[in-house]
């Protein structure tokens, strides 16, 4: 297989020329590999006209689409560095990232240009609509770029049409930086992660070796943001590397919309965050298995296996009937949900990663996956160790640290943060706490920054308490915080539909229900983890694109 990023895509576009590459599911517009490559070539011509040089930084912000992906690919294969910005970022954050990243050009869609101000983008020569490849004159400082006609430039450059042999991309070294990805973490502010060709290629090669995707024509449904490393690498870059076909959803991924899209697309691979499958379990599956007859049958040996298999088969059918892997990332899967899915034979796996690793750290094929783990380290790509260990409930828990081909160079223009990211002997500090068993299965305990210290010195992992709480009736999501140094308090968002259906909308009824929930929860917990109070929150929790609650905003 080609060794550098640009070599991979130069070869793939030529080899898969006539195959479908990407579809905007919301509009039904499909681009073949040939058409996608032509779009990439137009971006090259545009960047050349702007005077963009290899190594220059170019930002992109807007709604996911095939056109977004063409612009992204065009920047990197030209030899520049792409700076994708999550479309849900606030306007001020978008402008700050463009400025901080020293971007000389910006690709944006019509709904995001309203956030941009030329006066706050001192290095930007032009702002381009990635759907039309036309500039926004009021956001373009280079006079000659205000009315560029890319279609005319393309016809002049390729008078006989754009052919396979015209796909020639910039020479690069595997250590060359191709991506600065600004994170959106749950415990702090965004930092620009510097990723090289080698970091991304390592992830792609590993995924192909593990047969996550490896056949021409395989289908993927993308409903996570491609400006985030998880979706970008495996929903966008991986399919294009092996001749697969990616469908960009283009809608808000509600369960109803997703189920229709699953049936229409019949994907082989689905990447998800835990929230999607947890909602399906809580709102669709749980009411069915709680029926008296089903409960009785699930207690009957032999019969229960048939019921679990039937549920697993119905889940596969609901997801299009061709699903090979349902990969969950971004956060741990609820233990109860994971155990249930295992009994049904549903082909799920929980992986683990972070933007700083481009993003994968551990994974295992569904048939070999150990429930509650997050797979094994990437064999041949990277190593994982558990450092600074202490014994917790009979387990040796410590910080998960990584080194290998997938590990980033550091943070852009943040020397102190980069120094803190690595140990003295060169391992990346993930900030996550975990354990590893004798077979190298990795288990996450929680974030180092979110770990709480009990009154008697016990380590308390709030995520484990939240996982149990979120499965109780009437609770949608929660955060466990520590007040006054000792009191554990759960801040919750309620399930309004459940409360209305059970007549729990009055303040008195809601208060009584919360007391019952607290009692149920505390029965499941050791004494030092028990909750003293539950606070009901009216407004939504602010979340990252992975749908993790931004914990640092919850006081």
């Amino acid at each position: 297989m080609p060794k550098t990023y640009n070599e991979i895509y130069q070869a793939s576009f030529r080899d898969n020329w006539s195959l479908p590459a990407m579809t905007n599911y919301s509009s039904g517009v499909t681009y073949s590999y040939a058409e996608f490559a032509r779009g990439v070539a137009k971006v090259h011509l545009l960047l050349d006209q702007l005077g963009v040089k290899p190594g220059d930084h170019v930002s992109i912000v807007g709604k996911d689409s095939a056109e977004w992906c063409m612009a992204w690919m065009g920047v990197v294969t030209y030899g520049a560095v792409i700076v994708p910005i999550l479309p849900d970022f606030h306007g001020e954050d978008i402008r700050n990232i463009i400025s901080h990243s020293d971007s000389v050009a910006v690709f944006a869609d019509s709904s995001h240009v309203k956030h941009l101000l030329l006066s706050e983008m001192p290095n930007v020569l032009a702002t381009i609509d990635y759907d039309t490849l036309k500039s926004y004159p009021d956001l373009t400082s280079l006079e000659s770029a205000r009315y560029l006609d890319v279609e005319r430039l393309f016809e002049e450059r390729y008078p006989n049409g754009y052919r396979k042999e015209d796909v020639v991309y910039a020479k690069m070294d595997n250590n060359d930086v191709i991506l600065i990805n600004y994170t959106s973490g749950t415990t702090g502010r965004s930092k620009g992660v510097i990723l090289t060709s080698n970091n991304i290629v390592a992830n792609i090669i590993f995924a192909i070796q593990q047969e996550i995707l490896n056949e021409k024509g395989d289908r993927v449904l993308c409903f996570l943001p491609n400006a985030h490393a998880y979706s970008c690498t495996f929903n966008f870059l991986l399919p294009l590397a092996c001749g697969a076909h990616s469908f960009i959803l283009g809608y808000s991924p509600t369960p109803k919309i997703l189920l229709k899209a699953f049936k229409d697309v019949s994907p082989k691979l689905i990447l998800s965050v835990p929230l999607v499958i947890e909602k399906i379990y809580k709102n669709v599956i749980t009411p069915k298995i709680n029926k008296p007859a089903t409960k009785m049958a699930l207690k009957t040996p032999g019969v229960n296996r048939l019921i679990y298999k039937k549920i697993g088969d119905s889940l596969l059918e609901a997801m299009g009937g061709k699903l090979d892997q349902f990969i969950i990332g971004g956060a741990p899967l609820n233990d109860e949900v994971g155990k249930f899915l295992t009994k049904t034979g549903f082909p799920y796996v929980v992986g683990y990663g972070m933007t700083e690793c481009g993003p994968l750290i551990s994974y295992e094929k569904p048939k070999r996956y150990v429930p509650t783990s997050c797979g094994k380290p990437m064999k041949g790509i990277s190593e994982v160790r558990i450092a600074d260990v202490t014994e917790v409930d009979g387990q040796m828990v410590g910080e998960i640290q990584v080194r290998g081909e997938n590990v980033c160079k550091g943070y852009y223009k943040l020397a102190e943060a980069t120094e803190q990211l690595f140990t003295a002997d060169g391992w990346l500090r993930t900030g996550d706490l975990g354990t590893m068993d004798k077979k190298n299965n990795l288990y996450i305990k929680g974030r180092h920054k979110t770990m709480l210290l009990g009154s008697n010195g016990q380590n308390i992992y709030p995520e484990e308490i939240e996982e149990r709480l979120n499965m109780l009736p009437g609770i949608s999501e929660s955060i466990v915080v520590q007040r006054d140094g000792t009191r554990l308090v759960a801040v919750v968002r309620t399930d309004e539909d459940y409360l209305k259906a059970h007549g729990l909308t009055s303040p008195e009824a809601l208060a009584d229900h919360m007391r019952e929930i607290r009692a149920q929860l505390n029965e499941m917990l050791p004494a030092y983890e028990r909750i003293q109070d539950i606070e009901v929150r009216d407004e939504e929790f602010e979340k990252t694109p992975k749908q993790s609650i931004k914990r640092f905003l919850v006081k």
Side-chain angles (χ1 to χ4, degrees), residues 342 348-350 364-376 437 439 441-443:
T342 299
Y348 84 99
V349 59
V350 179
E364 182 58 281
K365 292 183 178 181
K367 289 183 179 179
R368 296 202 295 260
Y369 172 70
V370 177
T372 75
S373 79
C374 53
K376 296 181 175 68
D437 66 20
K439 295 184 178 180
N441 293 298
L442 190 61
Y443 301 81

Side-chain angles (χ1 to χ4, degrees), residues 4-25:
T4 71
Y5 179 96
N6 279 0
E7 287 173 348
I8 286 174
Y9 293 100
Q10 179 175 299
S12 182
F13 290 136
R14 289 179 174 185
D15 293 345
N16 301 299
W17 193 249
S18 61
L19 295 177
M22 196 164 284
T23 294
N24 289 325
Y25 175 79

Side-chain angles (χ1 to χ4, degrees), residues 165-366:
E165 52 267 33
D166 294 316
V167 181
V168 179
Y169 294 152
K171 296 292 184 184
M172 67 166 50
D173 184 87
N174 240 352
N175 291 318
D176 287 347
V177 176
I178 65 171
L179 167 64
I180 300 178
N181 207 322
Y182 281 78
T183 64
S184 178
T186 59
T187 57
R189 299 296 179 180
S190 296
K191 297 186 286 287
V193 179
I194 306 171
L195 293 163
T196 66
S197 166
N198 197 56
N199 300 149
I200 302 302
V201 169
N203 273 268
I204 291 169
I205 288 176
F206 178 80
I208 292 173
Q209 289 173 342
Q210 294 296 310
E211 299 179 333
I212 293 175
L213 276 183
N214 65 343
E215 294 184 13
K216 296 177 187 294
D218 282 345
R219 289 181 163 205
V220 176
L221 178 66
C222 173
F223 54 87
L224 301 178
N226 279 332
H228 191 276
Y230 176 37
S231 184
C232 180
T233 301
F234 300 115
N235 273 330
F236 162 29
L237 299 180
L238 173 62
L240 285 183
C242 57
H245 183 183
S246 186
F247 290 74
I248 309 295
L249 183 64
Y251 295 114
S252 177
T254 64
K256 183 178 180 180
I257 286 173
L258 282 176
L259 288 172
K260 182 181 185 306
F262 290 150
K263 288 183 178 180
D264 291 342
V265 174
S266 295
K268 178 181 179 180
L269 170 68
I270 296 175
L271 298 185
S272 180
V273 291
L275 187 64
V276 172
I277 197 70
E278 287 172 357
K279 280 189 173 182
I280 292 172
Y281 174 79
K282 188 174 180 180
N283 299 328
V284 179
I285 296 174
T286 299
K288 293 180 180 179
I289 62 176
N290 280 342
K291 291 180 179 179
T294 308
K295 270 187 172 182
M296 182 68 69
L298 287 174
K299 293 178 181 178
T300 306
V303 176
N304 57 1
R305 287 197 296 271
L306 292 174
I307 293 174
Y308 283 126
K309 184 179 185 305
K310 185 176 180 181
I311 294 171
D313 290 345
S314 66
L315 271 175
L316 285 173
E317 186 62 30
M319 293 181 184
K322 295 184 179 180
L323 183 66
D324 187 59
Q325 297 192 44
F326 190 101
I327 302 179
I328 299 167
L333 178 66
N334 179 276
D335 190 32
E336 178 185 333
V337 178
K339 288 178 179 177
F340 181 86
L341 291 176
T342 299
K343 290 177 181 177
T344 68
F346 185 72
Y348 84 99
V349 59
V350 179
Y352 167 58
M354 59 191 299
T355 303
E356 288 84 347
C357 291
L360 201 58
I361 293 174
S362 63
Y363 161 85
E364 182 58 281
K365 292 183 178 181

Side-chain angles (χ1 to χ4, degrees), residues 485-536:
T486 57
R487 293 177 64 249
L488 290 180
V489 175
V491 183
V492 306
R493 279 280 295 165
T494 56
D495 182 338
E496 296 303 316
D497 291 337
Y498 179 91
L499 297 183
K500 288 177 183 177
H502 292 80
L504 300 172
T505 54
S506 72
E508 296 79 10
L510 180 59
D512 287 342
H513 183 66
M514 289 300 114
R515 280 191 286 270
E516 291 176 12
I517 290 296
R518 185 169 73 89
Q520 290 180 45
L521 175 65
N522 285 342
E523 284 181 7
M524 308 179 206
L525 301 172
Y528 65 88
E529 287 187 344
R530 288 175 183 162
I531 299 297
Q532 277 74 55
D533 195 12
I534 294 180
E535 296 177 1
V536 177

